[in-house]
Amino acid sequence: MLEQCFYVRCIMIDFCKAFDRVNHPILFRKLAALGFPDSAISWIYSFLTGRTQVVKCNDKVSPHAHINTSIVQGLGIGPMLYAVMESDLRTLSPKNIVVKYADDTNVLVPADSDIGLLQEFNHVKQWAEDNKMVINLLKTKEIVFRRPNPRLHITPLPIPGVQQVSSAVLLGVTLCDTLSFTVHVENTLKICSQRLYLLKLLLDQGLPRHYLNAIFDALVLSKLRYAICVWTGFLSAE
């Protein structure tokens, strides 16, 4: 895509408290439209409805408040139900791409698309309104991916109310507008250096080596290996 045009615009959309705002009647309608068995929908309905919450402060407990939205986080069924909630969110143009992972939603629009990013974003805002979701404009960012050294590069004007940035974090990986992963590597090495210092302190306190190895695997190696297949192919020898 980048070889065919000068740039690709990407808007990283943040929904406010996405899991907590899922509307139950809308979710159940989408489950039925996707062909879920009535027995499965009834089970999910029983699981999500009838829940209450209270607040306790200084030994005083508030009255029970009914929870009429949200899907339970921390359980395996939560991300699946949210994926169903966004299952009908699509782009206006087949040239454009929407990438969804749990509550992370990103729309990519190449420069030669017949539908611009502003129209696509307005379409997402209309979808959010229809589905009783709220977009957090302060956390929604736009990044324009381009060739590192183009002869001619004209950065498109940002969408009103959305900040245009040169780098952004997507699922724990820092992406730059030139598709360089230098910033990601620098941040990763900085974090690993801090964690190695922690290991030194534990070593000085006499922690046995086999425990240090376990902590090293959990804190350092895990950080280095995270999404490694995505960015190592772009690294230089330096």
Side-chain angles (χ1 to χ4, degrees):
M1 185 180 290
L2 284 175
E3 294 178 355
Q4 299 174 358
C5 58
F6 286 114
Y7 59 80
V8 175
R9 302 180 71 178
C10 174
I11 186 165
M12 301 177 176
I13 302 169
D14 182 87
F15 290 105
C16 296
K17 301 184 180 299
F19 279 56
D20 294 335
R21 289 184 180 272
V22 171
N23 181 275
H24 292 165
I26 294 175
L27 174 63
F28 299 143
R29 287 199 298 268
K30 294 185 179 185
L31 287 170
L34 289 174
F36 275 64
D38 291 341
S39 57
I41 297 177
S42 296
W43 181 86
I44 295 172
Y45 176 85
S46 176
F47 180 72
L48 293 180
T49 59
R51 292 177 173 271
T52 60
Q53 64 181 13
V54 298
V55 176
K56 183 177 181 181
C57 181
N58 295 330
D59 296 328
K60 294 183 178 180
V61 180
S62 69
H64 286 256
H66 290 279
I67 302 175
N68 52 18
T69 61
S70 84
I71 51 182
V72 181
Q73 299 190 49
L75 299 179
I77 195 175
M80 183 277 290
L81 291 178
Y82 189 81
V84 170
M85 190 67 182
E86 278 200 26
S87 60
D88 58 347
L89 176 56
R90 302 180 180 90
T91 58
L92 295 172
S93 170
K95 286 188 175 183
N96 303 332
I97 300 172
V98 58
V99 180
K100 296 177 282 187
Y101 183 85
D103 59 340
D104 285 292
T105 305
N106 311 282
V107 179
L108 291 92
V109 177
D112 60 351
S113 175
D114 54 332
I115 300 291
L117 184 62
L118 179 58
Q119 292 171 278
E120 291 285 6
F121 185 52
N122 288 335
H123 172 66
V124 175
K125 289 196 292 185
Q126 184 61 55
W127 177 91
E129 182 177 344
D130 295 340
N131 289 271
K132 302 185 185 303
M133 303 290 284
V134 177
I135 296 176
N136 186 346
L137 290 177
L138 293 178
K139 292 186 177 180
T140 297
K141 307 295 182 183
E142 180 195 352
I143 184 170
V144 183
F145 296 110
R146 57 181 176 83
R147 296 190 184 100
N149 299 300
R151 298 183 193 175
L152 175 64
H153 174 67
I154 301 176
T155 302
L157 294 175
I159 294 176
V162 176
Q163 183 183 8
Q164 197 174 82
V165 297
S166 59
S167 65
V169 178
L170 177 62
L171 298 176
V173 177
T174 303
L175 302 176
C176 293
D177 55 2
T178 58
L179 294 181
S180 167
F181 286 89
T182 301
V183 175
H184 177 75
V185 173
E186 289 176 349
N187 292 339
T188 299
L189 293 178
K190 181 179 179 181
I191 294 173
C192 288
S193 177
Q194 294 171 345
R195 295 178 178 181
L196 285 173
Y197 178 71
L198 171 63
L199 286 173
K200 179 182 180 302
L201 295 179
L202 294 175
L203 177 63
D204 294 341
Q205 293 296 321
L207 189 69
R209 187 165 296 275
H210 64 280
Y211 288 128
L212 290 172
N213 288 336
I215 297 174
F216 175 78
D217 289 344
L219 296 184
V220 180
L221 282 186
S222 63
K223 185 65 180 178
L224 292 173
R225 290 171 177 163
Y226 178 76
I228 194 170
C229 59
V230 174
W231 49 270
T232 50
F234 295 86
L235 299 183
S236 63
E238 181 183 0

